[in-house]
């Protein structure tokens, strides 16, 4: 199931995701889009995708059963020393 989203995601949701990842990708943070993932509840609409297309590139979708439905966050994969994190919706 290696595919980008094909049906449109609600524009308001995409705005929230883009706003959350923008500061993580700033030169001062030093993070890249390929090290980020969005963590969502298994029942979230975007949980059916492996990745979604943002304004900054493809963002991996990670399903986490401990995330409450309606809540989402973006986190960086470990390995760079510090881990970038941002709430999308809490």
């Amino acid at each position: 199931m290696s595919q980008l989203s094909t049906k449109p995601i609600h524009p308001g949701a995409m705005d929230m995701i883009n706003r959350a990842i923008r500061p993580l990708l700033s030169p001062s943070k030093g993070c890249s889009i390929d090290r980020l993932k969005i963590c969502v509840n298994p029942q979230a609409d975007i949980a059916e995708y492996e990745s979604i297309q943002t304004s900054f590139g493809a963002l991996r979708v990670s399903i986490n059963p401990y995330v409450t439905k309606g809540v989402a966050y973006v986190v960086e994969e470990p390995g760079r020393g510090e881990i970038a994190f941002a709430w999308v919706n809490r």
Side-chain angles (χ1 to χ4, degrees), residues 48-79:
E48 65 185 84
Y49 302 115
E50 186 173 300
S51 60
I52 57 172
Q53 189 62 39
T54 70
S55 298
F56 307 99
L59 178 66
R60 287 178 293 132
V61 176
S62 176
I63 298 169
N64 184 336
Y66 298 107
V67 174
T68 306
K69 187 171 183 189
V71 173
Y73 62 89
V74 176
V75 66
E76 180 183 19
E77 293 291 336

Side-chain angles (χ1 to χ4, degrees), residues 9-87:
I9 296 172
H10 191 278
M14 285 308 304
D15 286 343
M16 291 171 63
I17 294 167
N18 286 324
R19 277 196 309 266
I21 62 177
R22 179 176 288 118
L24 303 180
L25 299 174
S26 70
S28 63
K29 291 283 185 182
C31 188
S32 64
I33 189 75
D34 57 329
R35 294 187 53 82
L36 296 176
K37 64 181 177 181
I38 184 169
C39 298
V40 298
N41 180 280
Q43 295 176 339
D45 291 340
I46 67 170
E48 65 185 84
Y49 302 115
E50 186 173 300
S51 60
I52 57 172
Q53 189 62 39
T54 70
S55 298
F56 307 99
L59 178 66
R60 287 178 293 132
V61 176
S62 176
I63 298 169
N64 184 336
Y66 298 107
V67 174
T68 306
K69 187 171 183 189
V71 173
Y73 62 89
V74 176
V75 66
E76 180 183 19
E77 293 291 336
R80 194 174 54 93
E82 58 183 61
I83 298 175
F85 176 89
W87 289 106

